[in-house]
Amino acid sequence: MTPLTHPITQKWPAQHPDRLQLYSLNTPNGVKASIMLEETGLPYEAHLVSFETNDQFSSAFLSLNPNNKIPAIIDPNGPGGQPLALFESGAILLYLAEKSGQFLSQDAALRYETIQWLMFQMGGIGPMFGQLGFFNKFAGKDYEDKRPRDRYAAEARRLLAVLNQRLEGRTWIMGDDYTIADIAIFPWVRNLIGYYEAGDLVGIANFPHVTRALATFVERPAVVRGLEIPSQP
């Protein structure tokens, strides 16, 4: 099924069906894909999945990702030259790294060590920072009982300490080489202390290696571009 015939194109027509199609929103998970695409230089077309209008629950989007989460992609030139539809940001990062031959070492040991840190983000940083955001900024902030917020704040601090220790003496998570692990992790750190307004709560100043690496990350031209993709009206 090509981008031209996939049900999702009923809602988001492909203007360039020969290019990789990205369906996303610039959340921490969403920008993993757009930053990776900007970093690799792979040709793609971006489509905005608006949460304000519940696009993620539309039948068109669910035809691509039944789990109603962004990002998702269709690559018209997937393995064996066949179209590939894919969801889950971590899987998308791995796929794009393999397709482009970038940001994931070909050395087996380094490759799996990088994947290890990608899973660290997916299993820890993403879920825990997201829960802290709910209890610190969104509906959860009105709960009188602050124990849930404090539980997630404590876990966020623990995860930041692990990350800070890893980055001591290293430019990036894997050392001198910028990888998909960095592309996965740093949008979440940026969101935690920015959009979620939880920097003081987690004591971000106590993690100088994290903040140093984050500052370097957000200055990368591809990151600057990717953080704004898909553009919003």
Side-chain angles (χ1 to χ4, degrees):
M1 188 174 292
T2 68
L4 281 176
T5 60
H6 195 286
I8 200 168
T9 60
Q10 297 174 18
K11 187 173 180 67
W12 291 280
Q15 301 299 314
H16 304 279
D18 57 321
R19 300 178 186 176
L20 191 148
Q21 305 292 307
L22 169 67
Y23 305 88
S24 192
L25 179 68
N26 54 349
T27 67
N29 280 333
V31 299
K32 293 181 202 174
S34 55
I35 290 171
M36 182 64 171
L37 286 163
E38 288 293 318
E39 292 279 14
T40 60
L42 291 168
Y44 73 101
E45 181 178 355
H47 305 276
L48 175 66
V49 180
S50 175
F51 288 177
E52 292 184 2
T53 53
N54 289 322
D55 284 350
Q56 73 273 28
F57 298 113
S58 66
S59 59
F61 187 75
L62 292 173
S63 71
L64 179 57
N65 183 1
N67 195 36
N68 65 266
K69 303 293 183 183
I70 57 95
I73 64 170
I74 301 175
D75 184 358
N77 302 298
Q82 297 301 308
L84 174 68
L86 200 61
F87 62 87
E88 283 294 334
S89 58
I92 291 170
L93 285 178
L94 285 167
Y95 175 70
L96 295 176
E98 292 183 348
K99 181 180 179 71
S100 67
Q102 300 178 65
F103 309 117
L104 183 62
S105 178
Q106 296 301 306
D107 177 86
L110 293 175
R111 175 185 176 84
Y112 280 104
E113 189 176 354
T114 306
I115 294 172
Q116 163 188 268
W117 287 100
L118 172 64
M119 299 304 168
F120 170 77
Q121 182 276 307
M122 295 175 62
I125 282 181
M128 296 301 104
F129 287 13
Q131 292 292 343
L132 180 54
F134 173 80
F135 285 104
N136 190 59
K137 179 170 182 175
F138 299 110
K141 75 179 186 301
D142 297 325
Y143 294 2
E144 185 176 345
D145 186 347
K146 297 303 179 185
R147 285 177 295 180
R149 185 204 66 178
D150 293 345
R151 171 182 172 85
Y152 290 116
E155 181 62 4
R157 283 191 289 270
R158 188 190 71 79
L159 291 166
L160 286 166
V162 173
L163 186 58
N164 195 68
Q165 182 180 39
R166 173 66 181 183
L167 287 165
E168 185 174 2
R170 292 181 172 90
T171 303
W172 300 110
I173 291 165
M174 291 301 297
D176 292 334
D177 293 331
Y178 175 77
T179 70
I180 57 173
D182 304 292
I183 294 172
I185 288 172
F186 288 113
W188 274 103
V189 178
R190 173 180 176 269
N191 214 61
L192 178 73
I193 63 180
Y195 186 61
Y196 289 163
E197 301 172 356
D200 290 341
L201 182 61
V202 299
I204 193 65
N206 296 321
F207 308 105
H209 305 302
V210 174
T211 54
R212 179 262 307 160
L214 174 62
T216 303
F217 177 76
V218 297
E219 290 177 353
R220 293 178 67 89
V223 172
V224 173
R225 296 191 302 271
L227 288 171
E228 301 301 322
I229 296 171
S231 60
Q232 300 193 49

